[in-house]
Amino acid sequence: MGGQAKAKKKSKPKRKQSRGAAEHTVMSPQERMKARMQDRAKKKTAEKYTVDQLLEKAEDCMDNFDFSMARMFCRRALDIEPTNLTILDMLGNICAELGDIDKAKEAFLKAVELSPEAGHGKYMYLGQIHTGKEAVQYFSRGVEVMLSTMDAQAQGACGGGAAITAKDVSVAFCSIAEIFFTDLCMEDGAADKCKETLEKALQYDQHSPEALQLMASYLFSLDNTEEGCDYLRRSVSSWLPSLQKEEVAAASAEEHDQEDEPARTNIPPYESRITTAKLLIEAEQFEMATEVLEGLLEEDDEVVQVWYLLGWLFYLQLDKPGTTADTESFRKSARTYLTKAKKLYVKLCCEDPPLLEHTEQLLGELGGEETVAGEDDGGGVGGGPSLDDIADDFVQSSDDDEEEDAMEH
């Protein structure tokens, strides 16, 4: 009996701990009030707005780069229709823009669960979020869905929505090839898979600047510089002004008018053109590299890497010219661009130690930083406001409270 009594006494504290743990999960009065208010807000939203109206609001916010409010409208729409694929895709995209990768993944995976055979976009986003083999799997699944959709389009059996094009498929194959060229480059057979995927990309869009550039990178990695240069030139010929002029000179005025607009819309993204410039420098195509980099500066003159690459480009040409005057001109240009790169690096608080180290090394060889007219001691490239009081320009706010208030307006 005594042993049983002791056993009972020992069990009592455990029951108390269990009740204590349960008590910690109970919401406080403030939390309950907040939850009730949120529930009322959701019901009020559902009564006052349709899903289409909420999505229209979300799109307007996205157009104005107000992704926090766009997310709120999407969440309210999802409360009304939790299985709406359009809302899930939009919410995933918005969360990705906000850097909330976990929530973006959650939305896209829910869309995959609801509709695995339709809608390639969710697979493309999941491929971008993941790395390595997982990314390849998602991109490959997206390609399968696109090809299936294209077949349905050809047979007239596809419903509404934007039509899938061969260019879309080519872009997806480029994404796969890039992973084999980077994340999975050490895997067995990675080089062969990269080449095979790039060939498929060019099969669907033989004029794709991205696919041609990736093929050039692949060939450079194999020390096949001559063929790589050919692909690189083909890549930039569709959008680089100097090469376009050469093609136009050989064509009639009528052909020029027909091709002029597509050429302007074929310009690759900013980051892709930085890669183009690097490849052109590697291939010693200095004039084209200069044209690409100067074009990038016209679009955005606060990208450290562009200034650095221009300085590196002119430094590499110091041994190329045939006259002393050319040498001094290249030296001065190299110093000017590298000085700009260093100042901008400090101004923007960049975190790329190898780039800064190489910049300082080159400046040391060139005789130190260049004094650029028009710049003050503030260190900014081209002047600009002081960064000391930058925090005063921003106001902290509560996202949830302000978003709820904005819903009412």
Side-chain angles (χ1 to χ4, degrees):
M1 292 292 291
Q4 291 177 351
K6 288 180 180 179
K8 288 182 180 179
K9 286 181 181 179
K10 288 181 179 179
S11 66
K12 285 182 181 179
K14 292 183 180 179
R15 289 197 296 270
K16 288 181 180 179
Q17 290 173 2
S18 177
R19 287 198 301 270
E23 289 172 359
H24 284 300
T25 63
V26 177
M27 292 188 294
S28 67
Q30 292 85 354
E31 290 173 333
R32 288 198 297 272
M33 177 63 73
K34 185 176 181 179
R36 285 197 294 269
M37 291 176 66
Q38 289 176 343
D39 287 340
R40 284 200 297 269
K42 292 177 182 178
K43 291 177 182 178
K44 186 176 180 180
T45 300
E47 294 170 357
K48 192 172 182 180
Y49 302 102
T50 66
V51 168
D52 289 342
Q53 288 173 325
L54 290 168
L55 290 181
E56 184 178 351
K57 278 284 195 181
E59 289 176 350
D60 289 342
C61 290
M62 291 173 69
D63 290 340
N64 292 315
F65 301 100
D66 188 354
F67 293 103
S68 293
M69 275 306 304
R71 178 172 57 183
M72 176 61 72
F73 284 118
C74 266
R75 284 175 174 171
R76 290 294 178 262
L78 202 61
D79 289 334
I80 301 172
E81 295 185 13
T83 60
N84 187 307
L85 294 173
T86 300
I87 303 173
L88 286 168
D89 282 343
M90 185 180 291
L91 180 60
N93 188 12
I94 292 169
C95 289
E97 288 286 349
L98 290 169
D100 193 344
I101 302 304
D102 290 338
K103 289 297 182 183
K105 186 188 300 185
E106 181 182 318
F108 291 132
L109 288 176
K110 181 65 175 178
V112 168
E113 178 186 337
L114 293 170
S115 181
E117 303 299 328
H120 70 283
K122 52 183 176 282
Y123 291 110
M124 295 297 103
Y125 279 114
L126 284 168
Q128 293 170 19
I129 290 171
H130 290 79
T131 58
K133 293 180 180 179
E134 282 186 298
V136 170
Q137 290 172 353
Y138 283 120
F139 281 130
S140 298
R141 186 70 184 102
V143 169
E144 292 175 7
V145 172
M146 279 193 279
L147 294 177
S148 176
T149 303
M150 287 179 68
D151 288 341
Q153 288 172 180
Q155 298 171 12
C158 191
I164 305 299
T165 66
K167 184 176 181 179
D168 296 324
V169 179
S170 177
V171 170
F173 275 125
C174 284
S175 297
I176 298 172
E178 193 163 5
I179 295 172
F180 283 120
F181 195 65
T182 53
D183 296 354
L184 300 178
C185 64
M186 302 304 293
E187 295 283 325
D188 291 339
D192 292 337
K193 291 177 182 176
C194 181
K195 181 181 179 182
E196 178 185 346
T197 310
L198 285 173
E199 288 173 344
K200 289 180 179 178
L202 289 169
Q203 175 186 334
Y204 282 93
D205 185 1
Q206 62 179 328
H207 301 297
S208 165
E210 183 181 7
L212 290 166
Q213 179 169 295
L214 282 170
M215 183 63 85
S217 296
Y218 167 77
L219 292 168
F220 284 159
S221 71
L222 300 178
D223 293 327
N224 190 346
T225 307
E226 184 176 349
E227 190 176 359
C229 286
D230 179 58
Y231 275 97
L232 185 57
R233 185 179 180 86
R234 287 169 58 190
S235 174
V236 299
S237 64
S238 63
W239 56 270
L240 193 65
S242 64
L243 293 183
Q244 285 181 301
K245 289 177 182 178
E246 291 179 13
E247 293 183 358
V248 168
S252 66
E254 182 179 355
E255 289 173 341
H256 169 55
D257 291 339
Q258 292 173 348
E259 295 177 359
D260 189 41
E261 186 61 30
R264 283 199 296 268
T265 59
N266 204 32
I267 298 177
Y270 198 96
E271 286 296 328
S272 178
R273 280 176 282 157
I274 290 180
T275 302
T276 300
K278 292 178 182 178
L279 291 172
L280 288 168
I281 293 173
E282 183 178 348
E284 297 189 354
Q285 300 293 317
F286 297 125
E287 288 187 12
M288 279 193 281
T290 302
E291 185 178 356
V292 171
L293 291 168
E294 288 179 346
L296 291 171
L297 281 186
E298 289 179 6
E299 291 182 32
D300 186 349
D301 63 357
E302 292 206 337
V303 179
V304 175
Q305 196 173 26
V306 176
W307 290 102
Y308 160 76
L309 287 173
L310 274 164
W312 174 235
L313 180 155
F314 281 104
Y315 174 86
L316 291 174
Q317 296 180 80
L318 289 177
D319 297 330
K320 299 292 182 182
T323 66
T324 304
D326 288 337
T327 301
E328 288 306 311
S329 175
F330 287 141
R331 184 182 301 277
K332 183 175 181 180
S333 294
R335 287 178 61 196
T336 298
Y337 286 121
L338 291 169
T339 298
K340 291 268 192 179
K342 183 177 178 180
K343 288 179 179 286
L344 192 59
Y345 185 101
V346 174
K347 173 187 173 183
L348 300 179
C349 302
C350 295
E351 295 183 3
D352 190 348
L355 184 148
L356 179 60
E357 182 180 352
H358 193 220
T359 299
E360 292 178 334
Q361 176 189 336
L362 295 175
L363 283 171
E365 294 180 20
L366 292 167
E369 296 181 25
E370 182 80 9
T371 301
V372 182
E375 292 187 352
D376 56 24
D377 294 333
V381 176
S386 169
L387 299 182
D388 295 337
D389 302 321
I390 192 169
D392 298 338
D393 295 332
F394 296 87
V395 179
Q396 295 182 349
S397 62
S398 170
D399 292 341
D400 291 339
D401 293 343
E402 291 195 359
E403 289 172 350
E404 290 290 350
D405 292 341
M407 291 286 293
E408 297 300 320
H409 298 288

